[in-house]
Amino acid sequence: MHEMSLADGVARIIEDQAKEHGFEKVLVVRLEIGQLAHVDPDALSFCFSAVVKDTVAEGAKLVIERAQGLVWCFSCATQVAIKAWGEACPSCGSFDLKDSGGQDMRILDLEVA
């Protein structure tokens, strides 16, 4: 389950930011995860609550926002949205697609005390 290592990475970033900026408690962590990122939000949320025990983020609310999965269709020369890899272009039905957004995961912001 790679969500555990992703959650651990987020926790490490939060701990580093707490040291750098001097906050002692994280109330809310807001993440953006692309539709095409191959990350299960429920699994990530479960893992996050486990890895932040005894850290500044223990008990923090994890808010996950989904970013649209965007691809470039070479057949119709259009950028289109899809929900998962393996889907055809909704405009022309082609599978000749290239990623152009929605595969990333990033911390948007933290609400701290």
Side-chain angles (χ1 to χ4, degrees):
M1 174 189 308
H2 74 283
E3 283 82 0
M4 185 62 82
S5 65
L6 293 172
D8 186 56
V10 170
R12 288 178 193 216
I13 291 169
I14 292 169
E15 284 292 314
D16 290 345
Q17 291 300 304
K19 288 176 187 165
E20 184 177 333
H21 298 285
F23 55 85
E24 296 179 9
K25 182 74 178 152
V26 177
L27 305 172
V28 179
V29 177
R30 203 161 53 96
L31 299 178
E32 180 181 74
I33 302 174
Q35 282 287 109
L36 305 178
H38 300 289
V39 176
D40 180 339
D42 292 333
L44 180 64
S45 182
F46 176 80
C47 293
F48 179 78
S49 63
V51 300
V52 297
K53 293 229 186 280
D54 300 322
T55 72
V56 296
E58 183 171 8
K61 179 180 178 183
L62 182 64
V63 176
I64 297 175
E65 297 181 9
R66 296 304 299 241
Q68 195 172 35
L70 299 174
V71 294
W72 177 260
C73 178
F74 289 102
S75 296
C76 65
T78 307
Q79 185 178 45
V80 294
I82 60 172
K83 292 184 179 168
W85 284 112
E87 289 184 9
C89 172
S91 297
C92 71
S94 171
F95 290 94
D96 192 12
L97 308 173
K98 181 183 185 297
D99 167 53
S100 62
Q103 289 204 87
D104 302 326
M105 181 179 116
R106 64 188 178 125
I107 298 173
L108 294 174
D109 57 40
L110 305 172
E111 183 179 322
V112 300

